């Protein structure tokens, strides 16, 4: 049924693959327990339940810590310590003795610990998220709800949730998580991006999905957006396990020989090695914040340097573009971002966090510089969420001061796109983040399921902004990359190149299809397609006009 605006929210396939697996419902938020007075004779039992639940949660966290290494193990062990902390457990027990039910007692005790930590500030304040996480685990334990550890699923599972935090998504293992279905989310939300990077079929905006009971077999199509509980044998026969694609074979080039570097978006060393296997010509976007989403305190310069070094080593002698922390909005990094901003997408995120904590950025740049020296490489470094020429100049001066030679900024705000020429004068390259650029140009939250049509990079207003940046890059003679999800769309890639992109960076599985789309067209055709799409009346019209321009050989 058409809605009155001609668009309507519907499930969207955001990561290809048609699979069947059993549903596992995860992540229902823990609801605050209702307070009620427990009769005197039952109070001791409530108190023992609190102790047992806290001990069980701590033991499980320790077991998990023993199965992993490095930072993740430290975090799990530290969280286990909170679950056993007498300040928390003894307070909950004494609340039980005064007649509070076990779940409400742990909730209240955790609130007290959290507010003590908050007012102590510093390192303790950074543990508040962990305290609340432990609280939720203990409450779930008391309610007999199974704790779900996404990293250790053992059978083919379709993970279903209202929404998944990026931190949950990075825990997923494509070997066991065969698909992701969420009720919220949009094609450029981070869950969708990470699913594509992991090659896990995914559907977002699937309203009603959380009502499918765990254990139900379900067919999921990450291209069409179908989610079919209890599929028939006929439907099961249509499964295409994982979108197996071939790696990129040779450099990106148009039919007439114009060079377009085809790079990968990565979140860490593992992805970078994968990207190299997929034939990427380098890394166009290393989202460094994804390595630190689960960290309560800032990793040391040395630890950060190790992380960056591992990525550099996957691409010796090739371009690696490292983005400084894009913390904030839907990627809160506990040690850098403050919860509770009224409008986090318009708040202190990305480069803006350096207003409050310039030293965190300075230490990250120092770590990148160390890694570069140790690897004998010269990574390019860029800052996210730049809105003014001054910000670009200030980042460039910090980065150059730290010894980085090639410094750039992301163009993700309309302000930066409009002033791209002035900004380009300050830096060595520009990289267009079309996910955020579309969100801010169209004033449509990239996570808003209902507004996914507005956040479409084919919107002529978005394409016009991209073309303005392309012109600025050309005029200044500096490279212009596109590293948003738009770059991974084979139909759109020629338009981006026609609009001035000199490199495209994407999920590694998209490299070969994008290369094939470019190999089929000339640079002049790309330019004609970009002109046609930019002057179209709507996103659909832009798609049609670009396709028509590419069919007419010029
Ligand atoms: C973008 O906004 O297009 C981008 C590449 O950055 P992220 O998706 O990480 O915000
Ligand atoms: Mg962005």
């Amino acid at each position: 049924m058409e809605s009155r605006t001609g668009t309507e929210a519907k499930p969207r396939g955001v990561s290809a693959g048609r699979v069947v697996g059993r549903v596992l419902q995860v992540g229902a938020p823990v609801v605050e327990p209702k307070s009620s007075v427990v009769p005197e004779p039952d109070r001791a039992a409530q108190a023992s339940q609190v102790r047992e639940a806290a001990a069980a949660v701590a033991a499980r966290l320790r077991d998990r810590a023993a199965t992993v290494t490095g930072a993740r193990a430290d975090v799990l062990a530290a969280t286990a310590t909170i679950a056993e902390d007498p300040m928390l457990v003894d307070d909950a027990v004494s609340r039980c003795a005064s007649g509070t039910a076990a779940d409400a007692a742990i909730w209240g005790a955790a609130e007290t610990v959290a507010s003590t930590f908050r007012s102590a500030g510093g390192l303790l304040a950074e543990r508040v998220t962990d305290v609340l996480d432990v609280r939720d685990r203990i409450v779930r334990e008391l309610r007999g709800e199974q704790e779900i550890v996404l990293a250790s699923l053992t059978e083919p599972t379709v993970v279903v949730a209202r929404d998944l935090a990026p931190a949950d998504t990075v825990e997923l293992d494509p070997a066991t998580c065969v698909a992701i279905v969420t009720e919220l989310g949009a094609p450029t939300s981070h869950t969708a991006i990470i699913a594509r990077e992991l090659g896990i079929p995914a559907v977002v905006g699937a309203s009603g999905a959380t009502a499918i009971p765990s254990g139900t077999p379900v067919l999921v199509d990450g291209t069409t957006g179908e989610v079919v509980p209890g599929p028939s044998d006929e439907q099961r026969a249509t499964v295409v396990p994982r979108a197996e694609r071939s790696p990129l074979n040779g450099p990106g080039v148009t039919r007439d020989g114009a060079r377009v570097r085809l790079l990968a978006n990565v979140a860490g060393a593992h992805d970078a090695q994968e990207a190299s296997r997929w034939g990427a010509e380098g890394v166009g976007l290393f989202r460094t914040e994804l390595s630190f989403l689960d960290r309560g305190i800032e990793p040391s310069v040395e630890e950060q340097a190790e992380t960056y070094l591992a990525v550099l080593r996957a691409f010796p002698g090739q371009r690696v573009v490292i983005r400084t922390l894009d913390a904030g909005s839907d990627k809160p990094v506990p040690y850098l971002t403050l919860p509770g901003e009224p409008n986090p997408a318009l708040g202190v995120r990305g480069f803006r966090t350096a207003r409050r904590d310039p030293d965190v950025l300075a230490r990250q740049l120092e770590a990148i510089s160390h890694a570069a020296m140790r690897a004998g490489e010269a990574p390019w470094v860029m800052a996210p969420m730049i809105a003014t020429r001054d910000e670009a100049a200030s980042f460039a001066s910090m980065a150059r001061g730290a010894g980085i030679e090639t410094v750039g900024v992301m163009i993700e705000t309309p302000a930066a796109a409009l002033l791209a020429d002035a900004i380009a004068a300050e830096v060595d390259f520009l990289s267009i983040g079309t996910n955020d650029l579309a969100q801010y140009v169209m004033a449509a939250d990239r996570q808003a399921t209902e507004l996914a049509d507005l956040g479409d990079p084919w919107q002529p207003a978005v394409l016009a902004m991209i073309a303005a940046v392309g012109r600025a890059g050309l005029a200044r003679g500096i490279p212009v990359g596109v590293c948003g999800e738009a770059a991974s769309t084979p139909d759109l890639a020629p338009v981006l190149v026609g609009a001035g992109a000199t490199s495209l960076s994407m999920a590694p599985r998209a490299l070969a299809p994008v290369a094939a789309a470019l190999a089929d067209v000339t640079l002049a055709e790309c330019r004609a397609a970009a002109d046609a799409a930019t002057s179209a009346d709507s996103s659909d019209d832009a798609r049609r006009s670009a396709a028509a321009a590419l069919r007419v050989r010029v």
Side-chain angles (χ1 to χ4, degrees):
M1 191 182 65
E2 273 285 279
S3 72
R4 278 196 298 159
T5 56
T7 55
E8 88 174 15
K10 54 179 192 301
R12 285 178 184 256
V14 294
S15 178
R18 189 173 169 89
V19 294
V20 170
R22 285 193 186 274
V23 166
L24 178 69
Q25 294 286 350
V26 302
V30 175
V31 182
E32 181 173 353
K34 291 202 180 62
S35 58
S36 58
V37 180
V38 175
E40 182 85 53
D42 300 334
R43 292 180 187 174
Q46 295 287 308
S48 344
Q49 281 177 27
V50 164
R51 286 205 187 281
E52 281 159 23
V57 165
R60 242 192 335 267
L61 287 165
R62 283 201 201 292
D63 288 351
R64 272 178 67 196
T67 63
V68 293
T69 52
R72 194 169 291 281
D74 297 346
V75 172
L76 290 168
T79 313
T81 311
I82 296 179
E84 294 166 324
D85 194 326
M87 188 159 73
L88 178 71
V89 182
D90 291 353
D91 180 11
V93 164
S94 70
R95 284 167 193 256
C96 291
S98 333
T100 307
D103 55 356
I106 199 75
W107 195 277
E111 267 316 306
T112 307
V113 176
S115 69
T116 312
F117 280 14
R118 255 184 229 112
S119 42
L123 292 186
L124 277 181
E126 287 163 0
R127 306 303 318 261
V128 168
T129 325
D130 300 336
V131 173
L132 301 182
D133 177 39
V134 162
R135 173 198 72 188
D136 289 354
R137 288 170 196 272
I138 299 177
V139 171
R140 281 204 191 96
E141 180 74 22
L142 285 165
R143 292 177 180 167
E145 291 170 17
Q146 196 194 346
E147 189 187 359
I148 289 150
V149 182
L150 291 179
S152 57
L153 301 173
T154 50
E155 49 187 56
T157 302
V158 175
V159 169
V160 180
R162 187 163 152 73
D163 201 5
L164 282 175
D168 296 328
T169 327
V170 281
E171 270 211 329
L172 293 171
D173 178 356
T176 47
C177 173
V178 296
I180 299 172
V181 177
T182 60
E183 289 193 338
L184 300 181
T188 52
S189 59
H190 284 99
T191 300
I193 292 171
I194 294 168
R196 272 193 291 273
E197 271 158 25
L198 293 171
I200 300 176
V203 174
V204 300
S207 61
T210 54
I212 308 172
S214 284
T216 310
V218 68
L219 178 141
V220 178
D221 190 317
T223 303
T224 61
E226 278 167 273
V227 178
V228 187
S232 64
D233 288 346
E234 234 171 21
Q235 285 169 319
R236 282 171 182 270
T238 62
V239 158
V240 188
R242 199 151 275 162
E244 282 311 341
R245 288 177 172 163
S246 41
L248 176 63
N249 183 12
V253 65
T254 61
R255 200 175 81 233
D256 57 336
R259 183 81 170 88
V260 182
R261 213 174 275 264
L262 298 179
L263 308 166
N265 293 348
V266 305
H270 172 76
D271 287 10
Q273 285 144 12
E274 273 279 286
S276 160
R277 276 195 286 281
W278 283 91
E281 297 184 62
V283 169
L285 170 63
F286 172 12
R287 290 183 163 100
T288 54
E289 65 283 352
L290 297 183
S291 301
F292 305 118
L293 284 178
D294 59 354
R295 301 302 297 269
I297 53 172
E298 183 188 345
S300 68
V301 168
E302 263 327 289
E303 190 189 332
Q304 291 189 54
E306 285 293 332
T307 306
Y308 309 144
L309 182 62
V311 171
L312 292 175
R313 287 206 167 126
F315 285 97
Q318 285 170 286
R319 183 183 305 173
V320 173
V321 184
I322 303 180
R323 173 172 78 183
T324 55
L325 294 171
D326 185 22
S329 195
D330 68 327
K331 290 176 294 182
V333 171
Y335 64 84
L336 191 53
T337 43
L338 291 179
E341 280 186 305
N343 250 323
L346 303 180
V348 186
R349 64 167 288 203
F351 180 66
R352 298 168 181 193
T353 58
R355 291 166 180 243
R356 236 177 10 218
D357 286 307
D359 295 348
V360 173
L361 176 58
R363 285 189 288 269
Q364 184 177 26
L365 292 169
E366 187 189 340
I368 294 172
S369 202
H370 283 192
M373 254 174 323
R374 281 168 62 188
E377 300 286 341
W380 296 16
V381 179
M382 65 182 181
M385 277 298 285
I386 292 294
T388 67
R389 179 175 182 158
D390 279 354
E391 286 176 344
S394 133
F395 175 70
S397 122
M398 274 182 89
R400 292 191 180 117
I404 311 290
E405 282 165 29
T406 310
V407 179
V409 291
M410 289 190 72
I411 304 290
E412 304 188 275
T413 62
L418 286 171
L419 298 183
D421 188 56
I423 287 175
E426 303 290 346
V427 292
D428 306 307
F429 70 98
L430 302 174
S431 180
I432 308 175
T434 48
N435 308 331
D436 277 315
L437 186 60
Q439 143 162 284
Y440 297 125
V441 169
M442 301 302 296
D445 186 338
R446 64 192 274 180
Q447 301 191 81
T449 312
E450 278 178 85
L451 304 179
D453 59 301
L454 289 179
D456 186 344
W458 282 97
Q459 286 287 353
V462 179
L463 294 173
M465 289 274 175
I466 295 171
V469 182
R471 282 193 297 275
L474 195 65
R476 296 271 172 187
I478 62 172
V480 174
V482 174
C483 62
E485 294 309 294
S488 62
T489 313
D491 294 349
L492 188 48
V495 173
L496 298 175
V497 169
T502 55
S503 67
L504 300 175
S505 189
M506 65 203 80
R509 284 166 178 76
L511 288 163
V514 166
L518 293 178
D520 212 26
V521 294
T522 64
L523 187 56
E525 287 166 353
C526 291
R527 290 189 177 135
D531 287 346
T534 312
S535 47
D537 287 331
S538 66
S539 51
D540 285 345
D541 187 22
R543 281 186 174 85
R544 277 191 299 270
S545 314
L550 291 171
R551 269 195 300 273
V552 179
R553 302 278 184 219
V554 289

